[in-house]
Amino acid sequence: CNPDEWSLHVSDGIDTRVSSNTYHTTNSASMKRPLVWIAVLIIGLISVEGSRQEDLSKFTKWYFQMLDQEGIKQPKLFIGIPEGETEAGIYATADVQENEDLLRVPYNLMITSDRIMDTTFSELKDVFNEIQLTDSDIISLYLAFLKRCKPEVNPWELWIDVLPKKANNIWYFTENEIKALEGTRMGSRATSNRDAAVETFDRIKTNLIEKDKLCSDLVYDDFRWGKAMVSSRSVNLKGDKGPFLAIVPFFDFFNHDNPPTDKWSWGYKADNQFFHCEAVEAAKKGQEIYQVYGHISNDQLLENYGFLIEDNRYDTIEVEPELLGINPEDPLYDIKAPLIQAIQENPSKLYFMKGSMSKELRNAAYIIAGTEQDFEDGDIVKGQKSILNEYFSADWFQAVIRHKLSQYPTTLDDDEKLMKTSLFSAMSLRMKQAVVTRVTEKSALAEIGTAFAELQLKIREVVKEQEKLTKEEL
């Protein structure tokens, strides 16, 4: 099917990737387009006003021609925005089977820092190395350069034209919206990442723009836009030389679906240098096709893509490694310290999740609360734990949870009351998302804290019963 034949309503403006009347995504499995809508789409093909749909069709046609020149057959896909929606997505032009190949893209039709440095910025390699630009910085600067400076040679002009003017992710949060995230993992990352971006652009300005090596029209807001696009549209791939960051145009228009299983459907084949993706599930002609961005918690979805998923089973709350301290006066300090240090070396594995925690965090608690008997019995992590260990592990977890809860500017009760007021209804979408993010985290922490408190009560009852039996025996 010719992409020019497909007409869908397209709206300009911000790429929110969420519905306008909710703080949760429209991309979850429970909110996929109904078959009635699909039938309307196929039979009627909704009329379009505005130039962006024309731009989408032009880009798709050009991109498919590029794939054809590489000997790749035209995908059974098109990009469109249904009437009444605000976000672009990818739809099937024919029935698609589960696990069917959807898209194959050669390396030369991907955007990577290496390709940028070998082409557009080839004469600036030494300067880029000197000012220590990361892969993300280079791709962000490249996108900003193409958008603002409009060079004579711009292979991605049609793609740049269809990208959103702004994003709903962290790069466009206001200072008040970021402040509302205080205490969350996202809040701390947002501040540090934005500060780092400002410093990076200052180096770019001093060493490149002011020395006429890049166009003088380039400003920080362009670089910020590039950062927002990289955050929301890039993928981490593994090649023959190791991991690398890339944007795969066209693929970047797939919307996310949180999978009911751990199924994965895209990646990079280093042996033939192709990016590929498959259908996660079967789809009918005209139906939107989703991909899995990753097993991602809500704070990461909001930070990078600008949306939340209700009851996200991948939600986690990190625990800072420094909270895993051992009291120097602990008589078992010399035994515990190296074990804890080894766990601290993998901070990404230290987290709470709804109703539970990571294996590494639980193991840390066992070690910190370990008694001499626990260590004498063998491997404290794998072995049988003493009742004292279980009790003081629960005690340690509650102390960590109290500390985590104290980092938020408001209490859980405050936020739950706020969400029932007209003030909350009048908030911006991003402010609502910030409140929901911290409420979700606090609720999970409170639930786990309550569970450990109940565990301690049961342990006390068991100990009292044992003491009673012992007295009766005596």
Side-chain angles (χ1 to χ4, degrees), residues 66-81:
M66 295 298 101
L67 293 178
D68 183 64
Q69 290 178 16
E70 297 289 336
I72 300 172
K73 68 179 182 179
Q74 179 173 305
K76 297 189 293 185
L77 307 168
F78 74 98
I79 306 172
I81 301 181

PDB file of all heavy atoms in Angstrom, residues 66-81:
ATOM      1  N   MET A  66      14.657   4.443   0.465  1.00  0.00           N
ATOM      2  CA  MET A  66      16.012   4.165   0.935  1.00  0.00           C
ATOM      3  C   MET A  66      16.159   2.685   1.305  1.00  0.00           C
ATOM      4  O   MET A  66      17.188   2.058   1.009  1.00  0.00           O
ATOM      5  CB  MET A  66      16.354   5.032   2.158  1.00  0.00           C
ATOM      6  CG  MET A  66      16.405   6.528   1.899  1.00  0.00           C
ATOM      7  SD  MET A  66      17.687   6.990   0.694  1.00  0.00           S
ATOM      8  CE  MET A  66      16.677   7.220  -0.781  1.00  0.00           C
ATOM      9  N   LEU A  67      15.137   2.130   1.952  1.00  0.00           N
ATOM     10  CA  LEU A  67      15.173   0.701   2.288  1.00  0.00           C
ATOM     11  C   LEU A  67      15.180  -0.144   1.020  1.00  0.00           C
ATOM     12  O   LEU A  67      15.899  -1.151   0.927  1.00  0.00           O
ATOM     13  CB  LEU A  67      13.966   0.333   3.161  1.00  0.00           C
ATOM     14  CG  LEU A  67      13.911   0.941   4.568  1.00  0.00           C
ATOM     15  CD1 LEU A  67      12.622   0.516   5.269  1.00  0.00           C
ATOM     16  CD2 LEU A  67      15.122   0.529   5.397  1.00  0.00           C
ATOM     17  N   ASP A  68      14.390   0.286   0.025  1.00  0.00           N
ATOM     18  CA  ASP A  68      14.334  -0.447  -1.237  1.00  0.00           C
ATOM     19  C   ASP A  68      15.700  -0.478  -1.921  1.00  0.00           C
ATOM     20  O   ASP A  68      16.106  -1.501  -2.494  1.00  0.00           O
ATOM     21  CB  ASP A  68      13.287   0.195  -2.152  1.00  0.00           C
ATOM     22  CG  ASP A  68      13.118  -0.573  -3.460  1.00  0.00           C
ATOM     23  OD1 ASP A  68      12.681  -1.749  -3.400  1.00  0.00           O
ATOM     24  OD2 ASP A  68      13.436  -0.013  -4.523  1.00  0.00           O
ATOM     25  N   GLN A  69      16.427   0.620  -1.852  1.00  0.00           N
ATOM     26  CA  GLN A  69      17.766   0.676  -2.454  1.00  0.00           C
ATOM     27  C   GLN A  69      18.743  -0.267  -1.759  1.00  0.00           C
ATOM     28  O   GLN A  69      19.744  -0.676  -2.342  1.00  0.00           O
ATOM     29  CB  GLN A  69      18.298   2.105  -2.402  1.00  0.00           C
ATOM     30  CG  GLN A  69      17.573   3.064  -3.334  1.00  0.00           C
ATOM     31  CD  GLN A  69      18.081   4.489  -3.222  1.00  0.00           C
ATOM     32  OE1 GLN A  69      19.160   4.738  -2.671  1.00  0.00           O
ATOM     33  NE2 GLN A  69      17.318   5.438  -3.742  1.00  0.00           N
ATOM     34  N   GLU A  70      18.425  -0.608  -0.504  1.00  0.00           N
ATOM     35  CA  GLU A  70      19.248  -1.551   0.250  1.00  0.00           C
ATOM     36  C   GLU A  70      18.774  -2.989   0.054  1.00  0.00           C
ATOM     37  O   GLU A  70      19.287  -3.913   0.701  1.00  0.00           O
ATOM     38  CB  GLU A  70      19.209  -1.206   1.738  1.00  0.00           C
ATOM     39  CG  GLU A  70      19.779   0.152   2.093  1.00  0.00           C
ATOM     40  CD  GLU A  70      21.288   0.213   1.939  1.00  0.00           C
ATOM     41  OE1 GLU A  70      21.938  -0.853   2.002  1.00  0.00           O
ATOM     42  OE2 GLU A  70      21.812   1.330   1.753  1.00  0.00           O
ATOM     43  N   GLY A  71      17.779  -3.180  -0.821  1.00  0.00           N
ATOM     44  CA  GLY A  71      17.248  -4.515  -1.081  1.00  0.00           C
ATOM     45  C   GLY A  71      16.288  -5.014  -0.036  1.00  0.00           C
ATOM     46  O   GLY A  71      16.052  -6.223   0.081  1.00  0.00           O
ATOM     47  N   ILE A  72      15.689  -4.092   0.741  1.00  0.00           N
ATOM     48  CA  ILE A  72      14.749  -4.458   1.808  1.00  0.00           C
ATOM     49  C   ILE A  72      13.332  -4.167   1.325  1.00  0.00           C
ATOM     50  O   ILE A  72      13.038  -3.052   0.890  1.00  0.00           O
ATOM     51  CB  ILE A  72      15.043  -3.668   3.092  1.00  0.00           C
ATOM     52  CG1 ILE A  72      16.470  -3.956   3.573  1.00  0.00           C
ATOM     53  CG2 ILE A  72      14.029  -4.015   4.182  1.00  0.00           C
ATOM     54  CD1 ILE A  72      16.922  -3.081   4.708  1.00  0.00           C
ATOM     55  N   LYS A  73      12.463  -5.155   1.424  1.00  0.00           N
ATOM     56  CA  LYS A  73      11.097  -4.965   0.958  1.00  0.00           C
ATOM     57  C   LYS A  73      10.358  -3.962   1.829  1.00  0.00           C
ATOM     58  O   LYS A  73      10.651  -3.804   3.015  1.00  0.00           O
ATOM     59  CB  LYS A  73      10.355  -6.294   0.925  1.00  0.00           C
ATOM     60  CG  LYS A  73      10.083  -6.912   2.284  1.00  0.00           C
ATOM     61  CD  LYS A  73       9.308  -8.217   2.130  1.00  0.00           C
ATOM     62  CE  LYS A  73       8.986  -8.824   3.510  1.00  0.00           C
ATOM     63  NZ  LYS A  73       8.209 -10.085   3.375  1.00  0.00           N
ATOM     64  N   GLN A  74       9.376  -3.298   1.228  1.00  0.00           N
ATOM     65  CA  GLN A  74       8.634  -2.257   1.926  1.00  0.00           C
ATOM     66  C   GLN A  74       7.870  -2.835   3.113  1.00  0.00           C
ATOM     67  O   GLN A  74       7.122  -3.800   2.961  1.00  0.00           O
ATOM     68  CB  GLN A  74       7.659  -1.588   0.961  1.00  0.00           C
ATOM     69  CG  GLN A  74       6.823  -0.497   1.597  1.00  0.00           C
ATOM     70  CD  GLN A  74       5.989   0.240   0.569  1.00  0.00           C
ATOM     71  OE1 GLN A  74       6.517   0.753  -0.403  1.00  0.00           O
ATOM     72  NE2 GLN A  74       4.682   0.287   0.778  1.00  0.00           N
ATOM     73  N   PRO A  75       8.044  -2.254   4.301  1.00  0.00           N
ATOM     74  CA  PRO A  75       7.302  -2.725   5.480  1.00  0.00           C
ATOM     75  C   PRO A  75       5.791  -2.543   5.312  1.00  0.00           C
ATOM     76  O   PRO A  75       5.342  -1.633   4.618  1.00  0.00           O
ATOM     77  CB  PRO A  75       7.837  -1.845   6.613  1.00  0.00           C
ATOM     78  CG  PRO A  75       9.147  -1.329   6.121  1.00  0.00           C
ATOM     79  CD  PRO A  75       8.978  -1.166   4.642  1.00  0.00           C
ATOM     80  N   LYS A  76       5.024  -3.385   5.975  1.00  0.00           N
ATOM     81  CA  LYS A  76       3.556  -3.280   5.944  1.00  0.00           C
ATOM     82  C   LYS A  76       3.090  -2.320   7.040  1.00  0.00           C
ATOM     83  O   LYS A  76       2.288  -2.653   7.898  1.00  0.00           O
ATOM     84  CB  LYS A  76       2.930  -4.666   6.138  1.00  0.00           C
ATOM     85  CG  LYS A  76       3.278  -5.655   5.037  1.00  0.00           C
ATOM     86  CD  LYS A  76       2.485  -6.943   5.143  1.00  0.00           C
ATOM     87  CE  LYS A  76       2.816  -7.767   6.333  1.00  0.00           C
ATOM     88  NZ  LYS A  76       2.106  -9.081   6.345  1.00  0.00           N
ATOM     89  N   LEU A  77       3.633  -1.099   7.007  1.00  0.00           N
ATOM     90  CA  LEU A  77       3.430  -0.137   8.087  1.00  0.00           C
ATOM     91  C   LEU A  77       3.228   1.259   7.537  1.00  0.00           C
ATOM     92  O   LEU A  77       3.679   1.567   6.428  1.00  0.00           O
ATOM     93  CB  LEU A  77       4.649  -0.132   9.023  1.00  0.00           C
ATOM     94  CG  LEU A  77       5.114  -1.471   9.602  1.00  0.00           C
ATOM     95  CD1 LEU A  77       6.485  -1.309  10.249  1.00  0.00           C
ATOM     96  CD2 LEU A  77       4.106  -2.003  10.603  1.00  0.00           C
ATOM     97  N   PHE A  78       2.579   2.112   8.310  1.00  0.00           N
ATOM     98  CA  PHE A  78       2.511   3.533   8.000  1.00  0.00           C
ATOM     99  C   PHE A  78       2.404   4.311   9.309  1.00  0.00           C
ATOM    100  O   PHE A  78       2.018   3.764  10.348  1.00  0.00           O
ATOM    101  CB  PHE A  78       1.330   3.857   7.073  1.00  0.00           C
ATOM    102  CG  PHE A  78      -0.014   3.810   7.738  1.00  0.00           C
ATOM    103  CD1 PHE A  78      -0.641   4.972   8.184  1.00  0.00           C
ATOM    104  CD2 PHE A  78      -0.684   2.604   7.906  1.00  0.00           C
ATOM    105  CE1 PHE A  78      -1.887   4.930   8.786  1.00  0.00           C
ATOM    106  CE2 PHE A  78      -1.941   2.549   8.511  1.00  0.00           C
ATOM    107  CZ  PHE A  78      -2.543   3.716   8.953  1.00  0.00           C
ATOM    108  N   ILE A  79       2.770   5.607   9.252  1.00  0.00           N
ATOM    109  CA  ILE A  79       2.718   6.481  10.424  1.00  0.00           C
ATOM    110  C   ILE A  79       1.472   7.349  10.329  1.00  0.00           C
ATOM    111  O   ILE A  79       1.198   7.926   9.277  1.00  0.00           O
ATOM    112  CB  ILE A  79       3.951   7.398  10.513  1.00  0.00           C
ATOM    113  CG1 ILE A  79       5.240   6.582  10.457  1.00  0.00           C
ATOM    114  CG2 ILE A  79       3.902   8.233  11.790  1.00  0.00           C
ATOM    115  CD1 ILE A  79       6.492   7.441  10.348  1.00  0.00           C
ATOM    116  N   GLY A  80       0.711   7.441  11.396  1.00  0.00           N
ATOM    117  CA  GLY A  80      -0.463   8.300  11.369  1.00  0.00           C
ATOM    118  C   GLY A  80      -0.934   8.662  12.761  1.00  0.00           C
ATOM    119  O   GLY A  80      -0.465   8.120  13.756  1.00  0.00           O
ATOM    120  N   ILE A  81      -1.868   9.599  12.835  1.00  0.00           N
ATOM    121  CA  ILE A  81      -2.482  10.017  14.094  1.00  0.00           C
ATOM    122  C   ILE A  81      -3.991   9.961  13.925  1.00  0.00           C
ATOM    123  O   ILE A  81      -4.545  10.673  13.083  1.00  0.00           O
ATOM    124  CB  ILE A  81      -2.056  11.437  14.500  1.00  0.00           C
ATOM    125  CG1 ILE A  81      -0.538  11.507  14.646  1.00  0.00           C
ATOM    126  CG2 ILE A  81      -2.733  11.845  15.801  1.00  0.00           C
ATOM    127  CD1 ILE A  81      -0.027  12.861  15.070  1.00  0.00           C
TER     128      ILE A  81
END
